């Protein structure tokens, strides 16, 4: 759907800009005036048929302008700048900032323009202010799989509830979606929503909250249940659960790494982390679970230690229990 159609029912922000226009402000400084190879998301996600036309519109309205040789030089690689200095018998040492300054100070503009004829877009003061006032646009774009939120839907939420901070709106949406997934027995989707919430907490340096949510992720990773499990048929096919070496009910390495990374960042020592995980596990329950809560805690630390032998034995024990049940 074209961006103009999507934006038709929306009000522009205080700068008179719509979500796709604000997103272009965050990308404009990466484009040259002769740029043609724009990312596919402009059309597929946001309905922008001609990004060049959008850039021209933002330029005409004073949010973007064409940069000069300073921006052109700053965009070059150190190697290309040194080639230019070398060709004119000038010193090559220093970091990039020093090399850029040397090029701009010691070489005539005509020489610079001939060497680097491309020109980049830059934001005007109005463009910078508009972007700073709408930081949710770039955030939700770069987290585009955040439970169906995108630049349009989050902007609509902000318009409906202008008194609330945009991060509170995102948090509320994530929580609402996670509860809906739980009610619909979509345990894989619930797990993913809680992981998004954990990452959100970690962004705000609320590491203990993040670790609590990550414990839920781990609990569901090890449960053996997934989307479509129901109270009538919660138990999955054992073929996909045992032995440990080919089980789908494991903690992904990235989740194990996050657990101990966030613990370190939050100043949570090993004893406190064990207590935090155990306390959160006590609050959780499912119709079916492969492991006891104590075993879940053990698995977290066995995965960190990469103790395949102990993990294999623990999964063998769970298999015997499963088959008896």
């Amino acid at each position: 759907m074209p961006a103009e159609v999507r934006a038709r029912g929306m009000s522009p922000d205080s700068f008179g800009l719509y979500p796709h226009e604000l997103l272009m402000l965050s990308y404009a400084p990466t484009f040259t005036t002769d740029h043609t190879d724009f990312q596919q998301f402009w059309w597929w996600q946001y309905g922008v048929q001609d990004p060049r036309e959008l850039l021209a519109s933002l330029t005409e309205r004073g949010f973007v302008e064409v940069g000069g040789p300073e921006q052109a030089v700053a965009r070059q690689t150190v190697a290309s700048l040194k080639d230019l200095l070398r060709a004119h018998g000038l010193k090559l040492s220093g970091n990039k900032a020093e090399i850029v300054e040397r090029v701009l100070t010691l070489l005539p503009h005509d020489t610079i323009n001939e060497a680097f004829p491309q020109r980049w877009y830059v934001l005007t003061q109005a463009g910078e202010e508009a972007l700073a006032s709408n930081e949710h646009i770039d955030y939700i774009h770069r987290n585009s799989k955040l439970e169906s939120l995108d630049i349009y839907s989050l902007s609509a939420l902000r318009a409906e509830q202008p008194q609330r901070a945009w991060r509170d709106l995102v948090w509320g949406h994530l929580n609402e979606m996670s509860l809906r997934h739980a009610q619909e027995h979509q345990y894989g989707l619930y797990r993913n929503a809680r992981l998004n919430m954990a990452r959100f907490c970690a962004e705000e340096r609320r590491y203990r909250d993040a670790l609590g949510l990550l414990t839920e992720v781990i609990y569901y990773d090890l449960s053996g249940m997934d989307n479509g499990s129901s109270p009538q048929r919660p138990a999955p096919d054992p073929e996909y659960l045992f032995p440990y070496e080919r089980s789908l009910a494991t903690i992904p390495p990235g989740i194990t790494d996050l657990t101990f990374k966030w613990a370190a960042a939050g100043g949570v020592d090993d004893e406190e982390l064990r207590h935090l995980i155990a306390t959160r596990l006590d609050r959780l329950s499912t119709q079916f679970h492969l492991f006891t809560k104590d075993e879940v805690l053990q698995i977290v630390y066995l995965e960190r230690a990469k103790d395949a032998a102990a993990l294999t034995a623990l999964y063998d024990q769970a298999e015997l229990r499963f088959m008896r049940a």
Side-chain angles (χ1 to χ4, degrees):
M1 183 187 301
E4 294 75 13
V5 176
R6 296 191 191 192
R8 192 171 292 160
M10 302 181 67
S11 298
D13 78 333
S14 59
F15 292 87
L17 297 171
Y18 290 97
H20 60 285
E21 296 176 321
L22 290 161
L23 182 63
M24 181 56 83
L25 291 182
S26 69
Y27 275 88
T30 70
F31 297 140
T32 61
T33 54
D34 60 354
H35 194 93
T36 57
D37 186 23
F38 293 92
Q39 300 94 333
Q40 292 185 351
F41 64 71
W42 288 108
W43 170 246
W44 293 113
Q45 287 181 244
Y46 305 123
V48 176
Q49 294 174 299
D50 189 349
R52 287 173 299 182
E53 183 179 315
L54 181 53
L55 280 165
S57 173
L58 291 168
T59 302
E60 183 180 343
R61 287 181 283 165
F63 294 101
V64 173
E65 63 187 9
V66 178
E70 294 83 2
Q71 288 77 27
V73 170
R75 285 286 178 179
Q76 305 306 314
T77 64
V78 170
S80 62
L81 293 174
K82 284 186 175 182
D83 285 344
L84 183 60
L85 291 172
R86 187 180 293 108
H88 290 81
L90 297 173
K91 187 170 70 170
L92 308 180
S93 61
N95 58 34
K96 184 173 181 179
E98 293 168 335
I99 291 172
V100 166
E101 180 66 20
R102 193 173 302 136
V103 169
L104 292 172
T105 303
L106 300 182
L107 293 177
H109 275 194
D110 288 347
T111 301
I112 295 173
N113 290 335
E114 183 180 350
F116 309 124
Q118 281 188 317
R119 289 293 174 264
W120 269 260
Y121 288 103
V122 295
L123 299 184
T124 63
Q125 183 177 343
E128 290 177 352
E129 290 175 357
L131 198 57
S133 298
N134 290 277
E135 59 181 9
H136 68 285
I137 293 289
D138 188 62
Y139 177 88
I140 209 65
H141 165 66
R142 298 188 186 281
N143 294 273
S144 58
K145 295 181 180 178
L146 211 58
E147 290 295 325
S148 75
L149 278 180
D150 65 11
I151 62 174
Y152 296 107
S153 57
L154 181 53
S155 295
L157 281 176
R158 286 195 81 203
E160 292 168 8
Q161 304 178 63
Q163 74 283 2
R164 295 185 65 189
W166 68 266
R167 288 191 70 88
D168 291 341
L169 293 172
V170 173
W171 177 262
H173 178 79
L174 289 174
N175 193 47
E176 179 184 344
M177 293 302 295
S178 71
L179 294 175
R180 183 183 303 176
H181 295 323
Q183 290 167 357
E184 295 172 352
H185 310 297
Q186 298 294 314
Y187 299 110
L189 294 177
Y190 175 83
R191 173 258 189 215
N192 291 341
R194 301 308 261 188
L195 177 57
N196 284 329
M197 293 172 74
R199 293 184 188 279
F200 200 77
C201 288
E203 289 171 2
E204 297 176 345
R205 299 185 180 181
R206 294 162 46 205
Y207 291 112
R208 284 168 176 77
D209 291 337
L211 288 166
L213 288 160
L214 204 57
T215 298
E216 288 194 46
V217 172
I218 290 168
Y219 186 70
Y220 278 89
D221 279 336
L222 296 175
S223 70
M225 299 192 305
D226 201 350
N227 297 328
S229 297
S230 69
Q232 292 73 34
R233 298 190 63 185
D237 188 332
E239 177 184 355
Y240 302 104
L241 304 178
F242 310 107
Y244 167 73
E245 289 74 14
R246 64 167 184 263
S247 176
L248 297 181
T250 58
I251 307 173
I255 299 299
T256 304
D257 292 344
L258 274 183
T259 300
F260 294 99
K261 175 183 175 182
W262 288 348
V268 179
D269 63 26
D270 222 40
E271 181 179 353
E272 185 184 358
L273 179 60
R274 285 180 182 273
H275 177 72
L276 190 154
I277 293 174
T279 301
R280 190 58 168 243
L281 287 173
D282 283 341
R283 295 164 48 184
L284 303 175
S285 64
T286 51
Q287 291 97 3
F288 171 84
H289 206 289
L290 290 175
F291 303 99
T292 67
K293 292 176 180 180
D294 183 60
E295 287 171 340
V296 171
L297 182 56
Q298 289 181 56
I299 290 171
V300 172
Y301 283 87
L302 290 174
E303 287 287 5
R304 180 178 69 168
K306 300 187 181 343
D307 191 340
L311 285 163
T312 298
L314 203 155
Y315 274 71
D316 289 347
Q317 178 181 314
E319 182 177 15
L320 288 173
R321 188 168 58 232
F322 178 90
M323 299 310 292
R324 291 195 196 104

